[in-house]
Amino acid sequence: MLAAVDHVQLAAPPGSEDALRGYYVEVLGMAEIPKPPVLAARGGCWFRAGAVQLHLGIEKDFRPAKKAHPGLRVTGIEAFAARLRAHEAEVTWDDNLPGHRRFYSEDPVGNRLEFLEPLGSAEQPGSRSPERLGS
């Protein structure tokens, strides 16, 4: 029986680790987590924010995912979008998911990322909101 999603793996081109660290740590506010030594030899990097883990693996013939994407739930979506824009990341709002505010952006190698927040989650005092990525 499935219990949870452990992580999402995205691909990245060789030599992009520093740009990925800059984005996932500085822009999204995630922490880099060490890869096991046998996997670290392959390159790439892993990041975590709360229970959310994103693994960026090196792919020789890399092409960014333009349709496939992780959906990352945030709180305070307007402030989170402003944070991305302040770091010169493009933010494209999409109002097509009922009951949610959401936008898309891309990481520095072109992978599509979705950021979403259920409507009403930030306004209801005492409601339990999912952990926020970043600060």
Side-chain angles (χ1 to χ4, degrees):
M1 176 162 72
L2 293 176
V5 173
D6 184 78
H7 68 275
V8 172
Q9 169 115 6
L10 298 172
S16 63
E17 289 89 347
D18 286 343
L20 295 169
R21 286 182 183 101
Y23 180 79
Y24 286 94
V25 173
E26 300 301 322
V27 178
L28 297 190
M30 301 182 84
E32 185 171 4
I33 55 175
K35 293 178 68 172
V38 68
L39 298 177
R42 301 177 186 175
C45 29
W46 293 0
F47 304 97
R48 176 194 324 247
V52 176
Q53 280 194 47
L54 294 177
H55 295 182
L56 280 291
I58 300 303
E59 191 171 295
K60 183 180 175 185
D61 297 322
F62 170 75
R63 285 187 224 162
K66 294 298 182 185
K67 182 70 173 173
H69 61 273
L72 303 171
R73 189 171 290 181
V74 299
T75 59
I77 196 162
E78 293 287 341
F80 202 77
R83 177 187 178 123
L84 268 66
R85 285 191 303 268
H87 285 90
E88 300 182 6
E90 186 174 326
V91 170
T92 304
W93 289 96
D94 182 327
D95 296 328
N96 293 316
L97 181 61
H100 293 80
R101 293 269 296 139
R102 72 175 175 172
F103 67 85
Y104 292 95
S105 193
E106 291 183 354
D107 72 8
V109 298
N111 288 313
R112 183 182 196 205
L113 303 171
E114 177 182 355
F115 300 91
L116 67 158
E117 180 178 37
L119 289 175
S121 66
E123 296 85 33
Q124 297 175 5
S127 69
R128 184 166 181 203
S129 297
E131 185 169 345
R132 179 178 177 195
L133 289 178
S135 54

